[in-house]
Amino acid sequence: MGWNKIIESITPLKIPAEIVISMALLVALFLSFAPENILVQLKLIDFIQENQFAISMYMLIAIAYWIVIISSLFFKCIKQKINIRNHMKVQIKLLKNLKPNVKKVILRLYKNDGTGFLDIQNPTTGYLTACDMIAKATPVGRINSFGYFLQPWVVEFLDNEQNYNKFVEEVEENEI
């Protein structure tokens, strides 16, 4: 049976490439590194001697494929972590540069265990929702008032005493 016949018999099964390549790698590793007495019992010595070049090529291609797949997953993971870190820096910068009246809303929610009711028609509520600093919790309450909660990263930021004190100072300066 030629290689073309094997490939033609596998193609209609629509087996994912990762599985086919993994199986080819496992078979090539077995044929290359199995003890000779096992290969003699399985009567594979002649097959290996005739096709050693092809077996070696399949093994090298499969190893290269998995190196590429693993390294691409690794770099995607690193890129995602960098993007999250950069996004958080932008979010914190936005939070620090809010106008005092908007900071007052954040502080009111923070003092109320991170939750509270806000008017859905208020532009401040829309702005804070768009900036991902608050999120709608529940539609319970009056028709134009919804429950909102602070995002966990905002609570974490304000849990730092220095950040909280700066927030309070800026709100109090505006009220005077």
Side-chain angles (χ1 to χ4, degrees):
M1 183 185 251
W3 293 108
N4 291 339
K5 296 246 184 210
I6 293 173
I7 292 172
E8 288 174 7
S9 64
I10 291 175
T11 304
L13 299 177
K14 296 183 181 179
I15 300 172
E18 291 84 7
I19 294 174
V20 173
I21 291 174
S22 298
M23 293 304 296
L25 178 61
L26 290 175
V27 170
L29 287 171
F30 174 76
L31 294 176
S32 297
F33 298 111
E36 193 169 327
N37 60 349
I38 292 175
L39 296 175
V40 169
Q41 289 175 350
L42 295 173
K43 298 178 183 168
L44 291 173
I45 295 292
D46 293 334
F47 176 79
I48 292 171
Q49 289 174 351
E50 290 174 14
N51 299 304
Q52 185 62 48
F53 179 74
I55 292 169
S56 299
M57 290 304 294
Y58 283 131
M59 187 167 50
L60 291 175
I61 291 170
I63 289 171
Y65 175 82
W66 280 112
I67 288 172
V68 168
I69 292 296
I70 291 170
S71 62
S72 71
L73 289 174
F74 177 72
F75 286 118
K76 281 182 185 177
C77 181
I78 289 174
K79 182 180 176 185
Q80 182 181 8
K81 288 187 180 198
I82 289 171
N83 287 344
I84 288 171
R85 186 177 301 133
N86 290 341
H87 179 71
M88 287 307 299
K89 285 180 182 178
V90 170
Q91 291 290 89
I92 289 173
K93 185 178 177 184
L94 272 173
L95 184 63
K96 287 180 178 179
N97 294 330
L98 289 174
K99 294 181 180 179
N101 62 334
V102 180
K103 286 185 179 183
K104 188 175 183 178
V105 172
I106 296 252
L107 280 175
R108 190 177 79 212
L109 288 173
Y110 180 73
K111 290 176 182 176
N112 194 27
D113 293 329
T115 62
F117 287 95
L118 298 174
D119 185 7
I120 197 166
Q121 297 170 347
N122 188 341
T124 303
T125 305
Y127 178 73
L128 289 173
T129 304
C131 290
D132 199 30
M133 294 179 196
I134 63 172
K136 198 179 298 183
T138 177
V140 176
R142 298 184 308 269
I143 292 174
N144 63 348
S145 183
F146 285 87
Y148 284 88
F149 64 91
L150 285 176
Q151 292 290 352
W153 67 269
V154 177
V155 174
E156 191 176 300
F157 177 80
L158 290 174
D159 281 342
N160 182 342
E161 193 172 333
Q162 259 184 332
N163 296 334
Y164 178 77
N165 290 339
K166 285 181 185 177
F167 246 65
V168 171
E169 284 175 16
E170 290 177 10
V171 169
E172 288 175 352
E173 284 177 8
N174 188 39
E175 289 178 354
I176 296 176

